[in-house]
Amino acid sequence: MSEILESGYKVKTLFKEEITVKDFIAEGGQGAVYKVDYRGEEKALKWYKKGSLGNNPEAFYENVKNNVLKGSPSEEFLWPLDITEWTDGTFGYVMDLRPSGYAEITQFMLTHVRFSSYRAIIDAALHIVSAFRALHNAGYSYQDLNDGNFFINWQNGKVLICDNDNVAPDGTETGIIGKPRYMAPEIVLGKNKPDSLSDRFSMSIILYILFCLNHPLEGKRYLVAGLTPELQEKLYGSEPLFMMDPENDSNGPHPVVHKNSIVVWQCLPDYIKKIFLDSFSKKACEKPSSRPKEIDWIKALTRFRSEIVPCTCGNEIFTKENEPCKCDSCGKVINIAFKLELSEYSIPAVKDSRIYRCQLGVCDEKDALSPVARVLEKRDAPGVLGIKNMSENRWDAVTSKGMAKKVASGDVVPLKNGIRFTVFDETVMIKSNN
Amino acid sequence: MPSINSLTDVPRKELHVFYVLDTSGSMAGQKISALNHAMEECTEALKTLAKSNGDAKLKVAVLEFNSGCKWVTINGPEDLEEDFEYEYLKAGGLTDIGAALKELNSKLSRHAFLNSMTGALMPVIIFMTDGYATDDYDKALAEIRQNRWFSRATKIGFALGDSPDVKMISEIVGNSEAVIKTTDLDLFKRLMRFVSVTASMLVSQSHTTETESSGRHIVSLAKEDLNVPQSANVQLNDNQYNKEPDPVPDNSTWDDDDEW
């Protein structure tokens, strides 16, 4: 490969800092990553191979430099913090080091690492969607979204997004078209260049992989003996077909090879199935503007999160309409004592249930994941539940006996049948299931 | 709801990297030593890449030719995610490259080496020779060219030492620009590693509008990245010796089977 940077190697940056290389971390297709000393702190340096700067190295450099100057759109991005000067025909950029406890999506795909729970998967999905919402909202597109870009914490679902060197103002041609298997059909076919709408398609592929550990377009057709470039173009470009398409099973799941999809899909709630079906429908493949938006994903995922109830055995149960259900691990019957009725659906009110801003009527997208309420257990009385006002606004509540009360930020309302409160012009009703 | 621990890893296509290596008597000495070291480095690099490859399951198969030919990977293609140790080869004998092509042809089939349940991607085939064929390779070459796996493979050739038959190796890989000629054994090692890694990782890399999977493209990347001298270029008029037919438009379908 290219010359490896020696420990002790020094290079100057845009902000007139001097970087000192400390250790080699890893090598990838485009170059290598080193641990470096930068302003007295340990940071990571991505250093490019000369041959991987694309067709227009100067424009590529300028784009990374602009990203450094503009700053990160949200905390999920391992954003370029500084860029080196041109050195011997190439350059690098500085970013934060990846903390421990995170693994690449690829490691999850190979089951070298597994999520600790479905809630952690949903939280990872929410972090991904919300990061791309912020990125797109800031006028950028990612352009090269694939399984190598994400580091995920398998315990809590926190996400770090790397490789932000191709992020560019939406509509800019960077020369990069993306990684095979993750490009949107219009990019595969050369009909368009990557933009925020093709990002949405690639993001849906990642989300399906997180839940089902299969690629959504790689059903039976993928199993052809020799996958030539022409067949790949059909599979991902001209004839894409979702493996779970209910009307056409010619690319359906193979009973052995795609067992993951078969077992997970049947347990997913209808609204999650629907958003995947909408993401990979013929219409979504052909008409990029019809793809589900980030806010649609956030709404579906927060609802899904609300409906998962932990069993005492540690298993997670996907509840449906608050009906009693049986844990399929220990067999225990779970009764959901209370539910919270929102305007469009109701969610179980169990310990740690949450209501997010986007579950209450129309909201500004940037506030979608702001916490509004959370169910807590009384510290000195296990089993007694209350709902805490996590928002900054005061709630107008009405007790079960019809008395008006105010609930200040941080206050807790006991879970009792008939109590209702109004937040952001939406009414939430506490109802007993018994 | 299924336990997260019960799910299996994502299905992946297999991607085979074939090495077809000259171990004739003329390779004796420093050349065979350089080849062994190069192969050791290549397989170590590929093993590292295989362990975190979500796009393909990497496998390696090594065929040596001298007086006749022999699979070094005797149990078929080796899974690079498992323990695989490259065994050093010894030099001796003739340069029966025709025998190697015949053997390779017989294994490039879904009924032989390419028999995975999930199917395979187009293989990578790396040829290396330092001499002239000692058998009649024309017939074997004509036959293997009819093999769709071969014709669609990413093929790269190394012509090593003072007197390699660059025409022959160009004919085999189908393009003189996919051949690198060198006497510099250290450069040879670095080039082998570069083309092995680059060719096997093409499916896992972000593409530009210019990206191709041809051997010619990979060789040009290698020359740029490793500052390879001009003398490594093989300048032939491909029309005069290259009898590879124009690539037949691929009209395979999802249900295609026997022909592969």
Side-chain angles (χ1 to χ4, degrees), chain A residues 35-147:
Chain A
K35 188 190 276 181
V36 297
D37 184 80
Y38 176 79
R39 291 180 173 163
E41 285 180 56
E42 283 195 340
K43 298 279 178 195
L45 172 71
K46 164 114 182 226
W47 190 256
Y48 293 100
K49 281 195 280 191
K50 264 185 251 174
S52 63
L53 298 174
N55 317 335
N56 189 344
E58 281 76 22
F60 183 62
Y61 182 91
E62 282 305 306
N63 189 55
V64 179
K65 183 176 145 189
N66 285 335
N67 290 349
V68 167
L69 295 173
K70 280 186 192 158
S72 171
S74 99
E75 62 178 12
E76 282 91 357
F77 293 94
L78 273 179
W79 199 258
L81 304 171
D82 198 349
I83 184 169
T84 73
E85 294 175 340
W86 280 99
T87 312
D88 191 22
T90 187
F91 67 95
Y93 67 82
V94 182
M95 60 187 154
D96 280 330
L97 284 164
R98 167 167 54 115
S100 59
Y102 287 74
E104 254 189 75
I105 287 189
T106 315
Q107 299 298 328
F108 291 85
M109 291 163 70
L110 301 178
T111 65
H112 295 165
V113 179
R114 293 176 191 271
F115 280 104
S116 63
S117 64
Y118 279 94
R119 277 200 180 180
I121 303 180
I122 295 170
D123 284 342
L126 277 168
H127 280 296
I128 290 172
V129 175
S130 125
F132 283 101
R133 190 207 61 77
L135 185 85
H136 292 157
N137 202 44
Y140 291 110
S141 61
Y142 191 85
Q143 312 226 355
D144 184 19
L145 208 160
N146 65 65
D147 61 330

Side-chain angles (χ1 to χ4, degrees), chain B residues 12-87:
Chain B
R12 288 170 295 162
K13 289 263 176 226
E14 293 188 345
L15 173 59
H16 298 82
V17 184
F18 287 92
Y19 291 94
V20 183
L21 307 174
D22 183 346
T23 53
S24 61
S26 60
M27 283 289 291
Q30 281 177 311
K31 278 191 279 188
I32 193 77
S33 167
L35 175 66
N36 282 326
H37 284 116
M39 284 301 295
E40 201 169 48
E41 282 189 32
C42 286
T43 49
E44 284 308 310
L46 292 178
K47 272 161 77 172
T48 307
L49 296 171
K51 289 193 173 78
S52 56
N53 192 329
D55 301 287
K57 204 169 177 53
L58 288 183
K59 291 199 162 182
V60 65
V62 183
L63 177 63
E64 66 166 325
F65 59 92
N66 36 61
S67 303
C69 67
K70 188 179 93 200
W71 288 101
V72 179
T73 42
I74 48 173
N75 302 316
E78 293 277 355
D79 187 339
L80 284 161
E81 284 163 70
E82 306 293 328
D83 278 338
F84 166 69
E85 306 300 337
Y86 172 77
E87 301 289 339

